[in-house]
Amino acid sequence: MDGNLLREPNANSVTGDPLSERSQFVQPWILNLWRIALRHKYLIGVIIATTVILGLVLTLLMTPQYTARTQLEISRNPGNVTNVEGIEREETVPNLEFYQTQYSLLEARSLAERVARELGLAQDERFQKAFGSTSDSGGITQPNDEGLSPSRQRNRRFAEVVKILLDRISISPVRGSSLVTISFSSPDPELSATIVNTWAAQFVAASMDRKFASTADARKFLESRLSDLRTKLEQSERDLVTYATTRQIIPLATSESNDGKTRTERTLAGAQLEALNAALVSATASRIAAESAVVGQGTTNSVALSNIAINQLRQELGLAKADYARLMAQFEPGYPAARAIEKKVTALEAAIEREEARVRNSFRSEYQQALKREREIKAQVEGLKGQVLSERSDSIQYTILQREVDTNRELYDGLLQRYKEIGVAGVGTTNVQVIDSAEIPERPSSPILLLNLAAAMLAGVLLAGGTIFAIEQIDQSLRDPNDVPRELGIPLLGMVPLIKGSSPVHELGDRKSSIFEAYLSIKTNLSFLTNHGAPRSFMLTSTIPNEGKSISSFAIATMLANTGNRVALIDADMRNPSLAKLMEIAAKPGLTNFLTGDEDWQRLMQKTAKPSLDFLDAGPQPPNAAELLSGDRMTVLIAHILQHYDHVVIDSPPVLGLADAPLLSSHVEGVVYTIEASRVKMRGISSAMNRLRTANASLLGALVTKVDQKNADYGYGYGYGYGYGYGQDDKKTASPVDE
């Protein structure tokens, strides 16, 4: 975009002036862009057309590429057929990290190497034909291959194949799903399909290989740990048995708790104590019973009553006594039968006595035996009590050793179970499934003519935009007359269109011409600059020669004369006068003569075709024009002329490189600055105007000349359609028209 149009209004811009206020309108940036595009439309068209043609040619020269695609589904977790956990707990990995890892693995160099080895691409003629030239020994040739050994040449060719695969493979995840598309492009459609299908298959195989590798590592680790734990378990069991043997701890009954710990419930000593204690109780009971029998001897007791022999004897004794009593009722005691029965009774009583004595003796014997047995058992119980108490003290260490055995056995059993599980975990399962295998593409995927042309056109637009931007930044000339108030700080008095094919003087004679309308508008604007109308004395200058100040001086003077004012036109450019030639007046003595001492200025004035317009030529070229203007003779001349004329219009020399214009500006009421559109740099114009301001010149305003009427976006247009111009080769020679 035009750099000048974007700068803020100058701090020295004129305020309060109607012309200045009307000129403060800032065009929208889009209009500025449109104006710049119109000004450079041919260059823009050439750049865009060139890029489009270049894009078309490149598209036609490009080798058709065929793209094959296959689609995979990468599941978060694979199907658990064996219901056995794998080595890695994948559910703890966030989804984003998991899938990003999978996508990176799909683009890994190791996967490309697997594909290259699987298909033998380094020696595949079809691959070599598609992507590179071949050597006699086969394989893609490399520069500088000749000096390498065969193995290094193979390695370099293989590396080049891998690089080609990585450059042309494309991984495209399907948004919002676990699907991913793998694409590969090559000039050979069958090769593209083969490579992309192999790529998918090798990715699945690589995933399974990683699982098997991790399983094998786990098995090796578990084997070493199992060996260590087996040794440790055996040693702990030996220590437990040795300790139990040494301490004579013989467990008879053990149980296993819920936490898998072994508990000894009964030992041999405990069981013996329990049995002896029961025997002691029985012996004590027997002793008490025997003692009771002994204590109750001499009386009929249950034991005597239960004796069969005594009971039979007593029965016979009773019968005998009954017979004796019956005989005594009939006979005398001396009766033989009675005496026989009496003897029988005596004998039976003696027998009963003997039997009862024998029973009493057996009770004493049983008591002694029971007492002895009780004492023996009690002694054994007392001995076992000490053994059991000692065994309980030893059971603490025994329990520690038993716990160590249980711990080692638990670790060993757990690792052994894990070792068995990983043998089947993940066998034949994978989280990657091929959804759609690649088919051989029938049509090339690139180049796409319309897409390439659109891209070429877009590139052309960008290139044209960049070129125009660079040109606009480099070219700091005044292109938009509306920038005058903002950039230079002075009012814009008017714009003069560029005319071609005709003389400006001739055009000024035609009231319907655009140049006549332009200068008429400038004259009207001049009439608003002071409270007495147009300035009575003013000069026209420019930055450099050939900017149209001379024709502007003549035109403004003519416009002022057309209103009935008497106007004096002075050619003060004594170094390069041009007004006389412009008005087709013969060169005569003029300003130089008066400044060098000639007092008759009226004699030096010349008549023109306009009755109210007189002309004072520059006169002979002096060697010291600046010295002549530094005196007060110019002030005296203007004062004399204003006594007879309404206005004095002076054609001044350019500002840059000369001291004439600043010196001359001090003798007039104001300065009208002339600027040729799109020629002089803004910094040159600003520097020239600063020189005038340093000389205390009053800058009335600026008029812009040679404005191209085709740039109607300047806000200027007369609508008459005349195509005139002056200064056809103004930059080669300085014609009078340009001065």
Side-chain angles (χ1 to χ4, degrees):
M1 185 178 291
D2 188 349
N4 297 330
L5 299 178
L6 296 178
R7 288 197 288 267
E8 294 296 328
N10 193 297
N12 298 324
S13 61
V14 177
T15 59
D17 192 321
L19 294 175
S20 177
E21 293 297 330
R22 290 199 304 268
S23 302
Q24 292 302 314
F25 172 73
V26 179
Q27 293 184 358
W29 64 271
I30 193 169
L31 293 180
N32 291 333
L33 287 177
W34 178 250
R35 174 177 57 80
I36 294 172
L38 287 178
R39 186 165 63 249
H40 301 283
K41 56 182 177 291
Y42 296 112
L43 177 59
I44 294 174
V46 169
I47 293 176
I48 293 178
T50 302
T51 55
V52 170
I53 294 174
L54 183 60
L56 176 62
V57 173
L58 292 177
T59 300
L60 296 177
L61 294 177
M62 289 174 63
T63 302
Q65 299 291 321
Y66 295 86
T67 301
R69 295 178 177 85
T70 186
Q71 196 169 67
L72 302 179
E73 179 186 9
I74 303 177
S75 302
R76 184 66 180 81
N77 292 308
N80 198 352
V81 178
T82 61
N83 197 27
V84 176
E85 293 183 358
I87 300 302
E88 300 177 356
R89 300 181 61 85
E90 296 183 347
E91 64 274 6
T92 61
V93 183
N95 282 335
L96 181 59
E97 294 182 8
F98 170 76
Y99 283 108
Q100 288 297 331
T101 301
Q102 297 300 313
Y103 302 151
S104 298
L105 290 175
L106 278 169
E107 297 176 326
R109 181 179 183 85
S110 59
L111 183 57
E113 292 175 350
R114 290 177 66 109
V115 173
R117 283 192 292 267
E118 177 69 18
L119 298 178
L121 297 179
Q123 290 78 32
D124 188 88
E125 296 182 357
R126 185 172 56 179
F127 188 86
Q128 297 164 3
K129 182 179 180 181
F131 296 107
S133 59
T134 58
S135 60
D136 295 338
S137 59
I140 298 178
T141 59
Q142 293 272 345
N144 306 325
D145 266 2
E146 291 76 7
L148 300 177
S149 62
S151 61
R152 295 193 63 184
Q153 290 182 13
R154 287 193 298 271
N155 292 337
R156 290 191 62 177
R157 293 166 188 168
F158 184 78
E160 180 65 20
V161 170
V162 172
K163 183 177 182 301
I164 293 173
L165 292 177
L166 292 175
D167 291 341
R168 290 181 170 264
I169 200 71
S170 175
I171 308 300
S172 304
V174 179
R175 186 178 181 86
S177 70
S178 59
L179 300 178
V180 60
T181 302
I182 305 175
S183 306
F184 187 84
S185 299
S186 74
D188 189 334
E190 294 183 1
L191 180 63
S192 298
T194 301
I195 290 177
V196 79
N197 284 329
T198 306
W199 197 281
Q202 288 301 313
F203 178 69
V204 175
S207 300
M208 297 184 67
D209 288 347
R210 285 192 298 272
K211 289 187 177 182
F212 286 133
S214 62
T215 301
D217 293 339
R219 288 176 63 88
K220 291 179 181 178
F221 171 76
L222 290 178
E223 286 175 355
S224 63
R225 291 291 297 152
L226 283 172
S227 177
D228 295 341
L229 283 175
R230 186 185 302 109
T231 303
K232 193 173 182 181
L233 176 60
E234 292 174 354
Q235 183 61 40
S236 61
E237 289 177 340
R238 290 193 192 95
D239 293 342
L240 179 63
V241 172
T242 301
Y243 184 81
T245 302
T246 303
R247 299 295 181 178
Q248 294 184 352
I249 300 175
I250 304 173
L252 297 180
T254 59
S255 64
E256 187 173 324
S257 62
N258 294 331
D259 57 358
K261 303 300 183 181
T262 301
R263 294 180 179 179
T264 302
E265 296 181 351
R266 297 180 63 193
T267 62
L268 179 61
Q272 289 177 346
L273 179 61
E274 183 180 358
L276 285 176
N277 190 51
L280 178 61
V281 172
S282 177
T284 302
S286 299
R287 190 263 307 166
I288 293 172
E291 185 178 5
S292 177
V294 172
V295 172
Q297 62 182 336
T299 61
T300 302
N301 51 40
S302 58
V303 178
L305 293 177
S306 62
N307 192 289
I308 299 174
I310 292 175
N311 289 334
Q312 289 178 351
L313 290 174
R314 285 179 178 177
Q315 185 177 7
E316 290 180 1
L317 178 61
L319 293 174
K321 284 183 176 183
D323 291 338
Y324 181 76
R326 187 175 66 250
L327 290 178
M328 286 293 101
Q330 295 177 2
F331 302 101
E332 289 294 331
Y335 184 69
R339 292 186 65 175
I341 293 173
E342 183 179 4
K343 289 180 180 179
K344 183 179 181 180
V345 169
T346 301
L348 288 171
E349 289 177 351
I352 291 172
E353 182 65 26
R354 287 194 302 275
E355 189 64 28
E356 287 180 353
R358 187 185 62 78
V359 170
R360 285 193 295 270
N361 289 333
S362 67
F363 284 162
R364 290 189 185 95
S365 177
E366 289 179 2
Y367 170 74
Q368 293 298 328
Q369 291 178 0
L371 181 61
K372 180 180 179 182
R373 184 169 178 270
E374 180 186 14
R375 289 174 179 174
E376 290 177 354
I377 293 175
K378 186 177 293 186
Q380 291 180 0
V381 167
E382 293 299 327
L384 282 177
K385 282 183 179 179
Q387 184 178 352
V388 169
L389 291 176
S390 177
E391 187 178 85
R392 287 185 178 180
S393 176
D394 296 338
S395 65
I396 297 175
Q397 182 63 28
Y398 182 83
T399 303
I400 294 174
L401 295 175
Q402 182 66 59
R403 187 181 301 114
E404 184 177 358
V405 170
D406 292 339
T407 302
N408 292 336
R409 181 180 293 110
E410 183 178 358
L411 290 175
Y412 180 79
D413 292 341
L415 287 179
L416 182 61
Q417 180 64 26
R418 188 60 172 164
Y419 180 79
K420 294 177 181 178
E421 289 175 354
I422 63 174
V424 294
V427 176
T429 64
T430 178
N431 61 331
V432 182
Q433 300 293 333
V434 178
I435 303 302
D436 291 324
S437 298
E439 297 181 353
I440 299 175
E442 298 179 355
R443 297 180 180 178
S445 58
S446 66
I448 303 176
L449 180 59
L450 294 180
L451 180 61
N452 288 356
L453 292 181
M457 181 173 292
L458 177 61
V461 171
L462 295 177
L463 180 60
T467 303
I468 300 307
F469 177 81
I471 291 175
E472 291 292 318
Q473 293 298 314
I474 295 173
D475 183 10
Q476 294 294 316
S477 61
L478 180 68
R479 294 180 294 274
D480 187 355
N482 291 318
D483 288 342
V484 169
R486 184 170 65 252
E487 300 294 335
L488 302 178
I490 59 176
L492 175 63
L493 299 178
M495 297 170 282
V496 181
L498 175 66
I499 58 175
K500 299 177 182 179
S502 179
S503 170
V505 177
H506 179 269
E507 289 298 316
L508 286 172
D510 184 0
R511 292 180 177 271
K512 296 181 180 181
S513 65
S514 58
I515 194 170
F516 182 88
E517 293 287 345
Y519 282 111
L520 180 60
S521 176
I522 293 171
K523 190 270 297 184
T524 302
N525 289 335
L526 283 171
S527 64
F528 294 109
L529 291 177
T530 65
N531 55 5
H532 56 269
R536 295 200 65 194
S537 63
F538 61 92
M539 58 176 273
L540 280 81
T541 187
S542 62
T543 307
I544 59 176
N546 304 329
E547 290 193 71
K549 62 177 179 58
S550 297
I551 185 63
S552 297
S553 301
F554 170 71
I556 293 174
T558 301
M559 294 301 167
L560 291 173
N562 287 340
T563 60
N565 296 311
R566 287 182 55 81
V567 181
L569 177 61
I570 302 176
D571 189 350
D573 191 356
M574 294 177 286
R575 302 176 188 271
N576 186 22
S578 59
L579 282 177
K581 185 177 181 181
L582 178 66
M583 295 186 294
E584 298 179 355
I585 298 177
K588 292 183 179 180
L591 180 60
T592 304
N593 301 88
F594 180 82
L595 294 178
T596 55
D598 191 344
E599 298 292 341
D600 190 3
W601 62 272
Q602 293 181 338
R603 179 181 61 82
L604 301 175
M605 299 293 295
Q606 301 183 53
K607 298 294 181 181
T608 65
K610 289 287 184 182
S612 57
L613 176 61
D614 292 341
F615 171 65
L616 178 61
D617 196 7
Q621 182 175 357
N624 53 352
E627 293 181 3
L628 295 178
L629 293 174
S630 61
D632 58 356
R633 293 285 293 173
M634 190 67 189
T635 304
V636 173
L637 174 62
I638 294 175
H640 287 322
I641 293 176
L642 288 177
Q643 293 177 0
H644 298 84
Y645 292 87
D646 297 315
H647 300 282
V648 176
V649 180
I650 301 176
D651 179 17
S652 168
V655 177
L656 291 184
L658 301 174
D660 299 7
L663 293 172
L664 191 58
S665 64
S666 62
H667 302 294
V668 295
E669 188 175 349
V671 178
V672 176
Y673 203 88
T674 306
I675 304 172
E676 181 181 345
S678 303
R679 182 184 177 192
V680 184
K681 306 297 182 184
M682 288 297 296
R683 60 178 179 270
I685 299 173
S686 179
S687 176
M689 293 180 64
N690 287 334
R691 289 190 61 192
L692 294 175
R693 289 191 178 98
T694 303
N696 295 322
S698 176
L699 293 173
L700 301 175
L703 59 91
V704 182
T705 62
K706 303 181 184 179
V707 178
D708 194 349
Q709 196 172 2
K710 292 181 293 184
N711 294 331
D713 54 313
Y714 284 140
Y716 176 88
Y718 295 97
Y720 292 102
Y722 292 95
Y724 302 104
Y726 57 90
Q728 301 298 324
D729 195 12
D730 52 50
K731 297 183 181 178
K732 293 182 180 179
T733 59
S735 67
V737 174
D738 294 323
E739 288 300 316

